[in-house]
Amino acid sequence: MAKKKELCRDKKGLFVRNLGWRKTPSGYSQKKFYLGRQEPQARIASLKLEQLWDAVCRRWEAATPPTPRLSSKPNPRHKITTETISTPNGPLTALHSIGVGELDFERLGKPVWDEVSLTIAEAIRNGEATVRVPLPRQLGQSGLTSPSIGQWLDQLRRDVPFIHIELLDEELQGEAESEIKTEGDKLIKRGRRMLFQGAGGETMHLALDEYIKALESKHVNLDGTVNPTGTAQVRQAQFLKECLSDCLLADLDTPRILAYQEMLALRPPGKRVKRIAVRTARNYIKQFRHFIRWLSTAPGFSWKRPSDLEFTAIRIPETVQEKATAARTSRVQTYSYDEIQILWEYASPLKRLLLLMGLNCGFDAKMIATLQPEDIHLNQEHPSAREIQYQSTENDSWIFRLRNKTSVYGEWKLWPITVSALEWWQKQRSQIEIAEDVSAFLVNQKGRAYDTPTAGNDRNMQIPNLWRGLTDKIRKDEDHSEFRKLSFGKLRKTAGNLIRVESSGEAAGVFLCHGTPVKSDDLLDFYTNRPFAKVFEAIDLVEQRLSPIWSSVESPFPEQRKRGGSNISQSKISRIKSMRRQGFKLDYIAKNLGVTKQTVSRHSHKK
């Protein structure tokens, strides 16, 4: 094999390398490559050309089968003798051969540079990273045994892996790439099927069982029990198992995964409904995608996420009525001043405390349930008033704490009415037998925290249910039958909206303990302190607007808990008092409002 390991220089100073053979009319001649004047580049090109020539030789040997021929060397065991035999037709001479002559196997010709390999060599000589080669003329001339274009290109790339090879004809290049991809997918599916058949045929439902165990071990409390978040996610994974048909993991390819996702988007029936809600379907799709990502790296499973799988936004169909409802509620739903007035009048002292915590501090049910006595600082000056440049006195009260969801620190200045509510609750709390493991400020009558999981390990709904009961009570009054049924969480949105109106979006974000109150600068918290002074000023302004509401009830937090209740609505009680203040007589009021004279007299004297 013609190959020199050392580079040579010609008279002009060019590096030269003689390597391989070319076919000529008179036989074979060595191929000479000029590699430029820069020695480092020339040496690199020389090494790559050596690798290319080795590949040419291997490809020639694979394509040229050896041909058998009798050896020209004598075999000592090979003897030829003669014998004369008499026959009726005369003597006959017979030849006897003992032994067999040795056979040699050799390939005709020798490896040579062809058009394809020389094109690659030229690209290497020029230092190119990609080369476009012509298609061999003899390709397809061997009948059924001839490789296809894709097979030929794939084999060439495997034989010459140190440079990217493409076909000169772009149309043929596209056909070849498509063929290579199709064949590769077939091999991947076949390999997966073989692996899973050897492992006993693992299925998607079996993988979902393991996924559920992983969720239960991930979402736990400090005592090792599964928390409500884990319970909710486990329930979603169990729905996936019930809703989606089982299959071998070997068959869990991109089309099947997307088909499963579309099935969930069509909102299949649930246990209690004919069609799951849009938000529920979105949660199930999210959980299914989490499962697919987990499965690709889960120990004990050989399944890998398909390379062509991409999760994009998916449309969930809605009915005409659902679209109309969404259009009516496209804006953030908040309580109006009039609605806050009605809530304040109809609420019990405990519900008034919840109302104030929502409006004064923007707390949701979870934040109220996890509030600790150490977070509350009544009747004291702000410890960093000078640093934050805020005027504070000993009559001010505060809450300093972290928000559980985001672990973002927050500070809130408390209104005087909120301080009255907290002091009222402190007296009520002292009369309740509180469990030893409970440290929360607000507890129920059994001494348990309002975020204690239920017996089924679900989210505690006592605070939302209290609020729903207040709304139902208001709607029973004929004067307020159209009162909106908003969730307790809308108080937080109402508070954030009031702060934003009085100050700015940044102040509202700090008030709500958002992770990034200034969306255009997510590094701001690393270089500056949050503007709590602006938040306190906005809280003061909101309190000024709401103070007339608080004064509408003479004794919102009485010392003694009221037992029982009136048999007439709060609106009628308000009308009785109003009409008595205007000087109407008892008989007229009773007849006009449809109540007894004794009822009018009783409520006329109540404060």
Side-chain angles (χ1 to χ4, degrees):
M1 186 179 298
K3 182 164 54 175
K4 288 186 178 180
K5 294 186 178 180
E6 297 295 333
L7 290 173
C8 301
R9 281 183 183 269
D10 62 5
K11 295 180 180 180
K12 296 181 180 180
L14 294 172
F15 285 96
V16 180
R17 181 66 192 275
N18 295 323
L19 184 63
W21 303 96
R22 294 193 67 178
K23 182 69 174 175
T24 63
S26 59
Y28 298 93
S29 65
Q30 271 195 320
K31 172 62 179 174
K32 180 177 292 187
F33 294 96
Y34 292 94
L35 306 180
R37 291 184 169 83
Q38 301 296 326
E39 185 174 359
Q41 289 82 347
R43 289 192 179 279
I44 293 173
S46 176
L47 291 174
K48 288 187 176 182
L49 287 173
E50 283 186 18
Q51 292 177 302
L52 178 61
W53 177 248
D54 290 339
V56 170
C57 294
R58 291 193 302 271
R59 288 172 64 84
W60 175 79
E61 291 176 356
T64 308
T67 303
R69 69 179 183 83
L70 286 175
S71 175
S72 58
K73 298 179 181 180
N75 189 338
R77 296 180 297 170
H78 187 206
K79 297 180 180 180
I80 300 177
T81 60
T82 60
E83 180 181 358
T84 301
I85 303 174
S86 298
T87 65
N89 296 326
L92 181 63
T93 302
L95 296 176
H96 296 277
S97 177
I98 302 175
V100 180
E102 292 185 351
L103 291 176
D104 286 339
F105 292 88
E106 66 177 2
R107 291 179 172 84
L108 300 178
K110 60 172 63 178
V112 294
W113 295 101
D114 58 9
E115 185 180 11
V116 173
S117 57
L118 283 176
T119 303
I120 300 174
E122 184 65 17
I124 291 174
R125 194 179 69 83
N126 295 329
E128 298 173 0
T130 301
V131 58
R132 304 186 71 90
V133 300
L135 201 64
R137 299 175 183 175
Q138 68 273 18
L139 190 63
Q141 297 179 358
S142 303
L144 296 176
T145 61
S146 177
S148 64
I149 297 175
Q151 292 172 333
W152 177 84
L153 179 59
D154 179 60
Q155 185 62 50
L156 180 61
R157 286 174 172 176
R158 282 185 286 165
D159 292 337
V160 188
F162 43 85
I163 188 171
H164 181 65
I165 302 175
E166 294 182 355
L167 294 179
L168 189 60
D169 189 316
E170 293 186 0
E171 183 177 352
L172 292 178
Q173 171 66 25
E175 295 178 4
E177 292 290 0
S178 177
E179 181 185 348
I180 291 172
K181 183 179 181 301
T182 302
E183 187 64 24
D185 290 339
K186 290 181 180 178
L187 292 174
I188 290 173
K189 291 179 181 179
R190 181 182 177 189
R192 286 177 177 166
R193 188 175 293 109
M194 294 172 66
L195 286 173
F196 284 113
Q197 287 175 349
E202 293 174 339
T203 64
M204 188 180 75
H205 282 187
L206 177 63
L208 277 169
D209 289 336
E210 295 299 319
Y211 177 62
I212 290 173
K213 294 179 182 178
L215 290 175
E216 291 174 339
S217 63
K218 176 182 178 181
H219 301 284
V220 294
N221 299 310
L222 292 177
D223 58 358
T225 58
V226 181
N227 59 30
T229 300
T231 302
Q233 295 203 19
V234 165
R235 190 180 295 114
Q236 292 174 359
Q238 290 171 340
F239 179 86
L240 296 179
K241 184 178 177 181
E242 296 170 1
C243 176
L244 304 179
S245 59
D246 197 10
C247 71
L248 289 173
L249 290 183
D251 298 329
L252 189 61
D253 53 8
T254 296
R256 185 180 289 269
I257 291 173
L258 296 181
Y260 281 151
Q261 189 174 251
E262 289 292 338
M263 189 182 304
L264 294 172
L266 292 177
R267 301 164 59 187
K271 290 184 178 180
R272 301 182 182 88
V273 293
K274 294 183 179 180
R275 183 186 295 113
I276 61 177
V278 173
R279 182 176 179 180
T280 305
R282 188 175 293 111
N283 289 336
Y284 285 147
I285 292 173
K286 182 179 179 181
Q287 192 65 243
F288 178 68
R289 292 177 174 181
H290 279 308
F291 164 69
I292 292 298
R293 297 187 185 99
W294 170 88
L295 182 59
S296 185
T297 58
F301 292 97
S302 301
W303 186 88
K304 297 300 177 185
R305 174 174 172 166
S307 59
D308 59 342
L309 175 61
E310 292 291 339
F311 287 128
T312 57
I314 184 169
R315 177 180 173 273
I316 301 177
E318 299 179 70
T319 63
V320 176
Q321 294 81 359
E322 290 169 338
K323 290 181 179 179
T325 302
R328 290 194 297 269
T329 60
S330 59
R331 293 177 60 86
V332 176
Q333 290 184 303
T334 59
Y335 284 109
S336 65
Y337 287 105
D338 291 339
E339 288 173 325
I340 296 174
Q341 172 82 51
I342 295 172
L343 289 168
W344 181 253
E345 292 178 356
Y346 279 75
S348 64
L350 176 60
K351 294 174 184 177
R352 289 185 183 126
L353 172 59
L354 299 178
L355 173 65
L356 290 169
M357 297 302 292
L359 293 177
N360 191 166
C361 306
F363 286 179
D364 55 21
K366 184 67 174 179
M367 296 179 73
I368 292 176
T370 56
L371 182 65
Q372 303 296 308
E374 297 79 11
D375 299 333
I376 303 171
H377 306 272
L378 302 180
N379 303 316
Q380 57 183 271
E381 183 180 351
H382 192 285
S384 304
R386 181 176 300 178
E387 288 80 358
I388 66 175
Q389 298 181 359
Y390 181 76
Q391 294 287 339
S392 178
T393 68
E394 295 180 353
N395 296 325
D396 294 333
S397 298
W398 318 88
I399 288 180
F400 305 143
R401 64 172 301 187
L402 294 177
R403 185 186 176 198
N404 299 72
K405 183 177 181 180
T406 59
S407 295
V408 173
Y409 176 73
E411 296 182 0
W412 298 267
K413 183 179 180 182
L414 300 180
W415 300 327
I417 189 66
T418 307
V419 174
S420 299
L422 294 174
E423 291 175 340
W424 168 84
W425 174 249
Q426 286 176 337
K427 297 177 182 178
Q428 301 297 320
R429 189 177 189 271
S430 63
Q431 302 174 15
I432 300 174
E433 185 179 352
I434 300 175
E436 294 182 358
D437 59 338
V438 174
S439 61
F441 180 66
L442 263 72
V443 295
N444 58 24
Q445 293 301 313
K446 295 182 180 180
R448 304 299 303 179
Y450 279 109
D451 64 339
T452 303
T454 65
N457 203 29
D458 291 320
R459 174 191 171 195
N460 192 310
M461 296 294 291
Q462 290 185 79
I463 291 179
N465 288 341
L466 286 171
W467 197 252
R468 188 179 299 110
L470 174 59
T471 303
D472 293 340
K473 177 182 177 181
I474 295 172
R475 289 170 63 88
K476 287 180 181 179
D477 192 333
E478 58 185 12
D479 290 346
H480 306 300
S481 58
E482 299 298 323
F483 190 85
R484 291 187 300 165
K485 298 181 69 172
L486 301 181
S487 66
F488 183 76
K490 298 303 184 291
L491 280 179
R492 174 174 167 82
K493 293 184 178 181
T494 301
N497 190 63
L498 292 173
I499 295 295
R500 185 174 186 177
V501 170
E502 298 296 342
S503 183
S504 63
E506 180 188 11
V510 174
F511 172 81
L512 296 172
C513 280
H514 286 171
T516 309
V518 181
K519 298 300 182 183
S520 61
D521 190 352
D522 55 359
L523 297 177
L524 189 63
D525 283 343
F526 291 98
Y527 295 94
T528 62
N529 292 318
R530 293 196 164 201
F532 287 116
K534 291 184 178 179
V535 175
F536 301 154
E537 292 170 357
I539 290 176
D540 289 336
L541 293 174
V542 173
E543 197 274 335
Q544 292 176 15
R545 293 187 178 276
L546 296 179
S547 58
I549 295 177
W550 316 142
S551 60
S552 64
V553 177
E554 295 181 6
S555 181
F557 301 102
E559 293 292 333
Q560 299 294 329
R561 294 183 60 188
K562 182 180 178 181
R563 301 294 179 181
S566 303
N567 294 324
I568 61 175
S569 66
Q570 184 67 34
S571 61
K572 283 191 176 182
I573 295 174
S574 299
R575 288 184 185 180
I576 289 172
K577 294 180 179 180
S578 175
M579 293 179 75
R580 284 298 291 164
R581 285 193 295 269
Q582 295 176 33
F584 290 101
K585 295 185 177 181
L586 299 181
D587 291 337
Y588 177 82
I589 296 173
K591 183 178 180 180
N592 188 269
L593 298 181
V595 296
T596 65
K597 184 177 178 180
Q598 290 77 10
T599 300
V600 175
S601 177
R602 183 171 64 253
H603 289 290
S604 296
H605 295 87
K606 287 185 178 180
K607 294 183 179 181

